[in-house]
Amino acid sequence: MFKSRSEGNVVYKCTVRLLEDLDVLECEFQPHHKGGFLLDYICEQLEITEKDYFGLRFVDTAKQRHWLDLAKTIIKQVKDVDPLVLSFRVKFYPADPCRLTGYGKVMLFQQLKRDLRHGRLYCSIGEAAALGALIVQDELGDFDPETHTGEYVSSLKIALRQTEQLEKKAMELHRKREPGQETAAVFDEFVGIARSLETYGIDPHPVKDHRGTQLYLGINFSGISTFAAGRRAQHFRWPEVHKINFEGKMFIIHLAYTDDRREVKKHTVGFKCPSGSACRYVWRCAIEQMLFFTLPTSQQAAVMSGGGFFSWGTKFKYSGRTEREILSESLNALRQQKLNNTSPSKRKAQSVPATPSSPQGDLAEIRYSSLPRSTMSEPLGGCNDHHMVSSVYCTDNPLPTLETVSEEARKTNGESNDHLSDYYFRDSFDHSSSESGFTSNVIENRLGSHLLHRQTYTSDNISSLAMHSMANNSALIQQQNASNSAKNVKKFSLIQAFVPSFFFVVVVLAVSAVYILESDSDMFSTMKNWPEMICLRYQYYQPLKEFLAKKFGAIF
């Protein structure tokens, strides 16, 4: 990675290899630029509109591949890579390759050719010969007996294991092809054959199952598959995948599917990766593929966390659009294009008459003239003819004006409301005071207008009232003190109970795990075969046990 300083700005330079190894692009970026900036620049240079299907990949110092995160800064992801070389590749192989148009389809064709040459697009000899004939047709053109003589296919690289038998079959199919075929038709035919293969869109990841058998894990638009000896052994569709996580080197898939009896079954499958970084890379690839092909919108993507209890978790937030968003946007663009291509006469026929809020004048005349009229109707006249048009559409008829209300009128109207609100306020106050032992003139007036005398208070009444109020105040103070003490006791008891409970749960889990791992009982045999327990045994428990044995063995 090269950087140059000019006027205080740091500019980094990188090399981007395209799908043809000899084609490269020299790009520049600054420290604040994110991965999306570099991908947008490359797609703009290549005139690719469907940029969401593509990505940039690089290899770190530990020889581990990574996809460049479009939402993070470039320099933070590749700070230890020098020189910086990125590879432009197809990241999401579409389920229907015809969705790509223009140069995007050309890049998909080149990616599939590259997969065939590197052995990722595994197929039979017949299918490889058919694909090889299309490659020959693309690079050499129509068959010419004068030019194409001898073993002319041997000069081309069409497959990883290119044998003489494969070359003869490819030449035979190339001779039988009709001349004058367009390049786009060759691309469509090649992509159609590749789409029908089980290894379409598969980037194989080397893993091992619980028996130690070497397998290759592949992830594409349909789900997760395992391959053994070039054939698909297992296939987990995305609707069946309930959760994906990892634990150390163990890549774990949680399945939830319906059996023949329509009962929901749950199953867990684990695969061991060569290293922890390789396992995180497989987990992230699986998460991105699942979200891209299954989510309706990227806004519904939650923060995905990987890693179990005994490993450092990894969080990932999907950034970018999903395939459904791309398809809906393309459909809306087609509809808008069809709408723009409609003739003016059709647009006039689909118009509606003007409303009172719509502009008058020429626009209104065009709208009215475009409407179909019967033979019994007369031509529309001006606003003076009240028989033809309603007065609502005439500008000569003044609309009734809205009368404003002055502040004085508001005050006048508000006096009655104030009196009413004041009455209800005093009514509620008097009602509450009557519950405390008070009487007033308002209550006497409500009982009847003939009650005019007032009740007088004696000294005994006043003293009893004072004692009653003091008792109420003391009870209120005691109640507040009790509530405060209860809150303090509650807080103290919660903190006091949490710490012992936490340590108790940790101790119980540790003792239970040791007991299960050391027990020879058949009751725990199935539990020991869980991927989590296998990972716990061989990555944490066994090394810790050996360390303690050496430590205490040396002491004693």
Side-chain angles (χ1 to χ4, degrees):
M1 180 170 54
F2 304 97
K3 60 182 179 179
S4 60
R5 296 180 178 271
S6 59
E7 298 181 359
N9 295 328
V10 180
V11 178
Y12 295 91
K13 296 182 180 180
C14 64
T15 303
V16 179
R17 294 186 303 180
L18 302 181
L19 291 169
E20 295 291 341
D21 293 331
L22 300 178
D23 297 338
V24 295
L25 283 177
E26 299 294 336
C27 303
E28 296 181 352
F29 63 92
Q30 293 182 351
H32 66 276
H33 285 152
K34 298 182 179 180
F37 167 79
L38 201 57
L39 182 63
D40 293 343
Y41 173 76
I42 296 172
C43 291
E44 183 180 357
Q45 295 295 319
L46 299 178
E47 298 180 357
I48 298 175
T49 56
E50 301 90 353
K51 61 181 180 181
D52 300 275
Y53 291 96
F54 300 89
L56 296 171
R57 194 165 57 192
F58 66 95
V59 182
D60 61 5
T61 55
K63 305 301 180 183
Q64 176 60 49
R65 296 185 301 173
H66 299 277
W67 286 104
L68 191 67
D69 196 333
L70 305 181
K72 297 181 179 179
T73 56
I74 304 172
I75 193 62
K76 288 184 179 181
Q77 303 180 62
V78 298
K79 56 183 178 180
D80 297 331
V81 181
D82 192 16
L84 180 55
V85 179
L86 301 171
S87 299
F88 179 76
R89 299 289 183 263
V90 176
K91 187 176 183 180
F92 303 106
Y93 291 73
D96 185 7
C98 297
R99 293 170 183 169
L100 298 181
T101 59
Y103 202 72
K105 184 180 292 186
V106 176
M107 298 303 290
L108 178 62
F109 172 70
Q110 293 182 2
Q111 177 69 70
L112 292 173
K113 284 197 306 181
R114 186 180 183 87
D115 295 343
L116 183 63
R117 291 168 180 171
H118 288 77
R120 288 187 293 268
L121 191 63
Y122 190 84
C123 54
S124 62
I125 298 178
E127 294 167 339
L131 295 173
L134 292 169
I135 294 176
V136 174
Q137 177 70 28
D138 176 59
E139 296 188 6
L140 301 181
D142 297 333
F143 175 73
D144 188 0
E146 297 180 358
T147 306
H148 303 146
T149 58
E151 303 295 333
Y152 63 94
V153 179
S154 60
S155 61
L156 302 176
K157 182 66 175 178
I158 60 177
L160 178 64
R161 298 177 181 177
Q162 188 168 334
T163 60
E164 185 178 354
Q165 181 183 3
L166 178 61
E167 292 177 357
K168 288 183 179 180
K169 287 188 176 182
M171 287 189 295
E172 183 180 355
L173 294 175
H174 180 234
R175 293 191 188 100
K176 294 179 180 180
R177 296 192 63 84
E178 296 181 0
Q181 194 172 14
E182 296 182 357
T183 306
V186 176
F187 291 170
D188 294 339
E189 187 176 353
F190 184 93
V191 172
I193 297 175
R195 167 64 179 82
S196 62
L197 300 177
E198 294 179 347
T199 54
Y200 168 75
I202 293 297
D203 187 12
H205 306 277
V207 295
K208 291 183 180 181
D209 60 2
H210 64 283
R211 299 177 182 176
T213 306
Q214 182 66 47
L215 300 174
Y216 289 94
L217 201 68
I219 309 164
N220 62 358
F221 68 92
S222 61
I224 304 175
S225 304
T226 58
F227 296 88
R231 296 183 178 275
R232 185 161 66 181
Q234 295 173 309
H235 180 58
F236 311 113
R237 298 183 300 110
W238 289 128
E240 300 175 353
V241 178
H242 176 66
K243 183 182 178 181
I244 303 173
N245 64 343
F246 67 93
E247 178 67 42
K249 298 180 182 180
M250 191 69 64
F251 175 70
I252 304 169
I253 307 172
H254 300 269
L255 302 173
Y257 58 93
T258 306
D259 59 359
D260 297 336
R261 299 179 182 178
R262 295 184 179 180
E263 296 180 359
V264 178
K265 300 291 184 179
K266 293 185 178 181
H267 186 57
T268 304
V269 184
F271 302 96
K272 188 176 182 181
C273 299
S275 62
S277 58
C279 187
R280 287 192 296 270
Y281 174 68
V282 174
W283 171 79
R284 179 160 179 171
C285 290
I287 290 295
E288 286 183 321
Q289 294 282 337
M290 181 179 66
L291 297 180
F292 180 80
F293 289 107
T294 58
L295 280 185
T297 58
S298 59
Q299 297 178 354
Q300 299 180 4
V303 178
M304 309 298 292
S305 60
F309 182 78
F310 296 98
S311 65
W312 295 103
T314 302
K315 293 185 178 181
F316 169 70
K317 180 67 170 67
Y318 178 78
S319 60
R321 298 185 302 173
T322 62
E323 189 179 38
R324 295 188 186 180
E325 288 180 311
I326 300 170
L327 295 178
S328 62
E329 183 177 346
S330 61
L331 288 176
N332 293 334
L334 289 175
R335 290 173 183 172
Q336 187 66 27
Q337 185 177 2
K338 290 182 180 179
L339 185 62
N340 295 334
N341 292 337
T342 54
S343 60
S345 59
K346 291 184 179 180
R347 287 202 298 267
K348 288 181 180 180
Q350 294 175 357
S351 61
V352 296
T355 59
S357 60
S358 61
Q360 304 293 330
D362 297 337
L363 182 58
E365 293 178 1
I366 293 174
R367 289 179 177 176
Y368 279 116
S369 61
S370 62
L371 292 174
R373 301 177 186 147
S374 64
T375 55
M376 300 298 294
S377 63
E378 297 181 6
L380 294 175
C383 294
N384 296 329
D385 194 353
H386 62 277
H387 297 287
M388 298 301 172
V389 187
S390 176
S391 60
V392 178
Y393 297 95
C394 299
T395 56
D396 295 343
N397 296 330
L399 293 174
T401 57
L402 296 177
E403 296 180 0
T404 59
V405 181
S406 61
E407 295 182 1
E408 291 78 4
R410 290 198 193 114
K411 291 181 180 179
T412 305
N413 296 333
E415 289 179 358
S416 59
N417 296 334
D418 294 339
H419 288 303
L420 185 62
S421 61
D422 182 63
Y423 171 77
Y424 280 111
F425 175 77
R426 287 188 283 107
D427 179 37
S428 61
F429 177 78
D430 293 335
H431 181 70
S432 62
S433 60
S434 64
E435 292 178 355
S436 303
F438 287 104
T439 56
S440 62
N441 297 333
V442 178
I443 299 177
E444 294 177 359
N445 291 333
R446 289 183 182 177
L447 294 175
S449 59
H450 61 280
L451 299 176
L452 300 176
H453 64 279
R454 296 183 178 179
Q455 182 179 358
T456 60
Y457 295 95
T458 62
S459 60
D460 296 335
N461 294 23
I462 295 174
S463 61
S464 63
L465 179 62
M467 293 175 64
H468 184 65
S469 62
M470 291 174 64
N472 289 338
N473 292 335
S474 61
L476 182 60
I477 293 172
Q478 292 178 0
Q479 186 177 2
Q480 290 179 353
N481 294 334
S483 61
N484 294 333
S485 61
K487 289 181 181 179
N488 296 332
V489 170
K490 186 176 180 181
K491 290 181 180 179
F492 181 75
S493 63
L494 180 62
I495 297 174
Q496 208 172 24
F498 174 74
V499 177
S501 301
F502 175 76
F503 284 106
F504 176 75
V505 171
V506 171
V507 171
V508 169
L509 289 176
V511 172
S512 302
V514 172
Y515 178 75
I516 293 172
L517 293 174
E518 294 294 338
S519 177
D520 295 332
S521 176
D522 297 334
M523 183 174 59
F524 302 111
S525 59
T526 57
M527 190 179 297
K528 289 181 180 180
N529 294 327
W530 289 357
E532 292 87 350
M533 297 300 294
I534 295 173
C535 181
L536 176 63
R537 173 187 283 275
Y538 291 104
Q539 292 192 9
Y540 301 99
Y541 179 70
Q542 200 70 25
L544 180 61
K545 183 179 177 181
E546 295 176 357
F547 172 77
L548 293 177
K550 292 180 181 179
K551 193 74 174 177
F552 289 102
I555 294 175
F556 296 103

